[in-house]
Amino acid sequence: MITKEIKVKEIISKSNLPVGEYSANTYVGCEHDCKYCYASFMKRFTGHEESWGQFVDVKYWDKIKNPQKYRDKEIFISSVTDPYQPCEEKHKRTRTLLEELKDSEAKISISTKSDLILRDLDLIKSFPNIRVAWSINTLDENFKNDMDKGVSIERRFNAMKIFHDNGIRTTCFISPIFPEITNVKEIIEKAKDKCNLIWLENLNLRGTFKPIIFKYIREKYPHLISLYNEIYNYGKDFYWERLDNELKEFAKEQGLEYKTNEDSFSSPFNAKPVIVNYFYHSKIKKSAQKVS
């Protein structure tokens, strides 16, 4: 892993993401080296010769002078890197950012695959409007290890429960959903007492990692290669339409709400989580909107 420190003018920038008006990425690159990482496109702009997942730039910036300018604004930490990847333990750039935003009254979203975030539990509790999501797309630790270098699934669930028990708005982000590999229902059953939101997002293979995933499927799940061809080479939506309908019914059986593209800050902190479908396919979005 090649790590270097860099100076940036600003740490917070405008964003067109659906989960925030602003984004803040405290690092460039990520040690988790996820095989399906959509953020690998960043390498086109960074000038790195190393492979994605083999470098991390640690960002330093001038202290935020007027954090109040972000009052009631949504800030997503982090959109193209994990803010609690291993190097955060040493460099504390995400903690520094949170300390600078502490009195801003901004709405903060954090997404991670790590339990290092437990270090900052007390700091995070000081934010009145904050949500923390853990990405989990399998209960199979072997598949997890094939896909990323993050901490175990059990450690992620343990951190999620601790945050949830401390009254922090927590999300189980079931993403990316691998067709016929990710058992969404099993994950929901394990997560439903540890979070108040469950987000669903399908595997998107439009990046440079598509050949890597297809090679993996051919080697480990050869019986699924025709299905992946149908979905990702021929643009068929039948799998996601079927899964969408199955999960609607499953949610009813579990007594859970099932919605589409809901703003999680508007969702109440219920005893039971709300399932929010963030599938990319516009056809499914329209269908789910009609139902809900």
Side-chain angles (χ1 to χ4, degrees), residues 26-146:
T26 47
Y27 300 95
V28 178
C30 185
E31 296 171 88
H32 287 160
D33 192 20
C34 302
K35 283 186 171 65
Y36 49 77
C37 182
Y38 67 88
S40 59
F41 76 90
M42 288 290 294
K43 193 170 179 289
R44 297 200 304 262
F45 310 107
T46 63
H48 289 85
E49 295 182 359
E50 304 86 4
S51 300
W52 184 258
Q54 301 303 311
F55 66 88
V56 176
D57 292 348
V58 182
K59 291 185 179 180
Y60 286 81
W61 58 89
D62 292 333
K63 185 175 180 180
I64 299 172
K65 295 178 181 178
N66 181 25
Q68 280 293 321
K69 70 178 285 188
Y70 301 109
R71 181 178 181 179
D72 295 326
K73 304 295 184 182
E74 295 186 30
I75 303 175
F76 181 32
I77 310 171
S78 287
S79 59
V80 291
T81 187
D82 194 313
Y84 284 96
Q85 59 184 290
C87 63
E88 167 65 15
E89 185 170 9
K90 174 183 177 181
H91 296 284
K92 300 182 180 178
R93 304 315 296 148
T94 301
R95 182 176 180 86
T96 297
L97 175 61
L98 289 171
E99 288 171 341
E100 292 181 14
L101 290 172
K102 185 175 180 181
D103 298 317
S104 67
E105 298 183 60
K107 297 177 179 179
I108 307 293
S109 296
I110 302 173
S111 182
T112 185
K113 284 184 170 73
S114 177
D115 58 355
L116 176 58
I117 194 172
L118 289 167
R119 179 200 65 189
D120 294 343
L121 176 59
D122 287 344
L123 175 59
I124 289 170
K125 283 174 67 174
S126 70
F127 286 80
N129 289 300
I130 196 164
R131 58 188 174 190
V132 180
W134 282 265
S135 296
I136 295 172
N137 72 344
T138 184
L139 299 183
D140 182 346
E141 297 288 356
N142 291 322
F143 179 71
K144 193 286 300 180
N145 291 336
D146 284 346

Side-chain angles (χ1 to χ4, degrees), residues 19 131 171-175 177 184 188 196-202 244 247 251 256-267 273-279 288:
V19 290
R131 58 188 174 190
T171 298
C172 180
F173 190 21
I174 305 179
S175 171
I177 296 171
V184 180
I188 290 173
N196 70 303
L197 283 162
I198 297 172
W199 291 348
L200 311 176
E201 183 182 59
N202 54 312
D244 182 42
L247 293 176
L256 305 176
E257 286 188 78
Y258 186 93
K259 298 185 177 183
T260 299
N261 301 336
E262 182 85 357
D263 179 358
S264 63
F265 279 118
S266 68
S267 300
V274 175
I275 299 174
V276 183
N277 184 327
Y278 277 98
F279 288 167

Side-chain angles (χ1 to χ4, degrees), residues 144-246:
K144 193 286 300 180
N145 291 336
D146 284 346
M147 288 295 117
D148 71 65
K149 297 176 182 176
V151 302
S152 70
I153 300 301
E154 282 303 313
R155 286 173 62 177
R156 297 180 205 184
F157 273 122
N158 179 61
M160 186 188 302
K161 179 170 174 54
I162 291 172
F163 270 69
H164 187 252
D165 289 349
N166 274 271
I168 296 168
R169 191 178 300 276
T170 52
T171 298
C172 180
F173 190 21
I174 305 179
S175 171
I177 296 171
F178 277 70
E180 294 301 314
I181 297 176
T182 301
N183 191 322
V184 180
K185 295 176 184 178
E186 284 186 355
I187 298 173
I188 290 173
E189 288 181 330
K190 189 172 179 67
K192 65 184 181 181
D193 64 342
K194 302 174 180 66
C195 61
N196 70 303
L197 283 162
I198 297 172
W199 291 348
L200 311 176
E201 183 182 59
N202 54 312
L203 174 66
N204 175 15
L205 287 185
R206 289 181 290 185
T208 56
F209 51 86
K210 181 178 178 179
I212 297 172
I213 297 300
F214 261 80
K215 182 176 184 292
Y216 176 82
I217 297 298
R218 287 191 191 95
E219 293 176 353
K220 296 293 184 75
Y221 299 88
H223 62 289
L224 296 180
I225 196 64
S226 61
L227 173 63
Y228 277 67
N229 273 320
E230 288 285 312
I231 296 171
Y232 295 108
N233 287 329
Y234 299 108
K236 301 294 181 66
D237 287 341
F238 66 90
Y239 181 83
W240 304 114
E241 292 170 347
R242 184 175 72 225
L243 183 60
D244 182 42
N245 289 327
E246 287 179 6

